[in-house]
Amino acid sequence: MIRSVVRGNGAALPRRIMKNADFEGMVETSDEWIVQRTGIRQRHVAADDETTASLGEAAARAALDSAGMTPADIDLIILATSTPNNTFPATAVEIQNRLGMHHGFAFDMQAVCSGFVYAVATADLYIRGGLAKRVLVIGSETFSRILDWSDRSTCVLFGDGAGALVLEAEDGAGAITDRGVLAASLRSDGVHKDKLFVDGGPSTTGTVGHLRMEGREVFKHAVGMITDVIEATFGEAGITAEDLDWFVPHQANKRIIDASAKKLGIAEEKVVVTVDLHGNTSAASVPLALSVAVADGRIKKGDLVLLEAMGGGFTWGAVLLRW
Ligand code: ACO
């Protein structure tokens, strides 16, 4: 059977780093509160000349370099984002143009923080369905543009950045030992809309709006949803937590990551945590975490890696792949 195998990965971060202490003059907060409640120590914040498209392009170029490919080799670009450069056209098409790519096709995917997991699962279906051979999957966000910088309960949590993977079709045996995407499980439920949303949009207010979140409510649901979808993925693949080499969760809150890993029986040393460095970068958080763990030599070819995310909607999902 055809498998979607990772050939390369890359990341890009805005130049400016904002430390927790930098918020202390802006809103009533402290480094201690932010670290204790979230594990976040710093985040990158985009300057005016840094956009979802420019960061996505930089991450895509890094992923292509690491794959030893050029844009000419790519058939499809899927960009996971909730902060597109424009309402339309899709920012994926803008990135396609920035890469000098005038063949193939590109589209955006919107599942908030779960976007990258949705996009990898979707790319896998395009590859296995024979519609594409090599896909650039990008998660890129500039959440700093939709934050209410006077709301301490949200503005300290998010950051900007981008990450990307190149997936390529390869023949596999149909076994768990194959490289590539092995199983995926996706969920959503709109009943939770008001717990995490943006209070504007083209069809309602005609404005972009600002992020609003009932953090405690999101927290309450997060661990249960994350563990359900991971257990479904384990069931589909016929594995247990012990078989995993690496768990790369969405980086929203260290306490959610720790509680999910504990409930699933995933050993602490197998969990990749980068929320301290990047904050919550929504659809960019999983590929950014992957880029850190690949660069420092933790994730290696042949490792069994579990990706997971949960976000606005609510949406949630998991992808199991062998690197
Ligand atoms: N600094 C200091 N105090 C603060 C801050 C801050 N930055 N923010 C809130 N507080 C205060 C609150 O006002 C509250 O004060 P009160 O008790 O006087 O009312 C107190 O701290 C406790 O607030 P809680 O919201 O109960 O704090 P909690 O421990 O739940 O932590 C947090 C808040 C970090 C937001 C947590 O609930 C969380 O991580 N939620 C989940 C977020 C998440 O996972 N999002 C998922 C995806 S995001 C996406 O899809 C876009």
Side-chain angles (χ1 to χ4, degrees), residues 6 8-10 63 116 120 135-138 163-167 290 321 323:
V6 176
N9 73 291
F116 191 78
V120 171
V135 184
L136 247 176
V137 186
I138 308 167
L165 289 183
V166 177
L167 294 175
L290 277 173
L321 58 86
W323 197 260

Side-chain angles (χ1 to χ4, degrees), residues 192-208:
H192 302 290
K193 179 189 171 190
D194 292 345
K195 298 186 179 86
L196 176 52
F197 67 104
V198 170
D199 63 4
S203 184
T204 50
T205 59
T207 62
V208 171

Side-chain angles (χ1 to χ4, degrees), residues 251-280:
Q251 309 285 320
N253 185 310
K254 177 77 163 59
R255 289 188 293 149
I256 295 175
I257 295 172
D258 290 347
S260 310
K262 192 168 169 211
K263 194 168 169 200
L264 289 157
I266 300 173
E268 205 181 328
E269 57 275 15
K270 293 182 178 179
V271 184
V272 176
V273 178
T274 52
V275 70
D276 53 330
L277 300 172
H278 305 143
N280 181 348

Side-chain angles (χ1 to χ4, degrees), residues 28-30 33-34 37-38 112-113 143 152-153 156-158 196 211 213 215-216 218-219 222 250 252-253 255-256 280 282 310-312:
E28 206 184 323
T29 191
S30 65
W33 189 95
I34 300 169
R37 300 290 180 125
T38 71
V112 202
C113 298
F143 261 52
R152 67 176 182 175
S153 71
V156 302
L157 302 176
F158 295 90
L196 176 52
L211 183 148
M213 178 165 76
R216 217 174 301 189
V218 178
F219 202 117
H250 173 49
N253 185 310
R255 289 188 293 149
I256 295 175
N280 181 348
S282 189
M310 183 257 172

